[in-house]
Amino acid sequence: NLSLTGVTAEDKTYDGTTNATVNTSAANISGVIGGDNVSLSGLVSAKFNNSSVGSNKPVAVVFSLGGEDADNYNLVDPTGLSANITASTAAKGACPSRLCTGKLTARARERLMKVFFPE
């Protein structure tokens, strides 16, 4: 098993999605046997646990490996990542507080978002 360190989740402004952004500029893979060609080939998924505004919200990530020897390894994705979702400027002025703080069901929040922010 390979471990990946040096990955951090980035804060974002509320946008109604669970999509997260991660920073891999300091990423490091450990456990590769000398001479094997294995690298981090990309981010498959990065998601907050829910789309509500909050601090230190868990972020789950899935990465993929590349290189000619990648099939010989299993990457253990980093855990314990977290970041903040802050209320958007528009949401602070236009949303009822329960909508912006996530105290409504996802379906109710979706309906209200369409009223306040029609497409």
Side-chain angles (χ1 to χ4, degrees):
N1 284 340
L2 302 180
S3 61
L4 179 60
T5 58
V7 176
T8 57
E10 297 184 356
D11 295 342
K12 76 171 193 172
T13 302
Y14 176 80
D15 64 3
T17 72
T18 58
N19 298 334
T21 302
V22 294
N23 183 332
T24 58
S25 62
N28 183 48
I29 299 174
S30 60
V32 177
I33 295 173
D36 279 1
N37 180 355
V38 179
S39 61
L40 190 63
S41 71
L43 175 65
V44 175
S45 174
K47 299 284 184 186
F48 281 94
N49 64 330
N50 62 51
S51 64
S52 301
V53 170
S55 299
N56 295 317
K57 298 176 65 68
V59 175
V61 295
V62 177
F63 286 91
S64 60
L65 292 174
E68 59 190 49
D69 298 310
D71 289 342
N72 298 323
Y73 292 92
N74 178 48
L75 178 64
V76 177
D77 290 306
T79 59
L81 300 180
S82 65
N84 303 323
I85 299 178
T86 57
S88 70
T89 304
K92 285 181 182 176
C95 290
S97 62
R98 290 180 68 161
L99 173 63
C100 297
T101 60
K103 296 190 191 282
L104 296 175
T105 65
R107 183 171 171 83
R109 184 171 37 256
E110 180 180 330
R111 286 182 176 177
L112 284 172
M113 287 301 290
K114 286 180 181 177
V115 169
F116 288 104
F117 304 103
E119 293 180 27

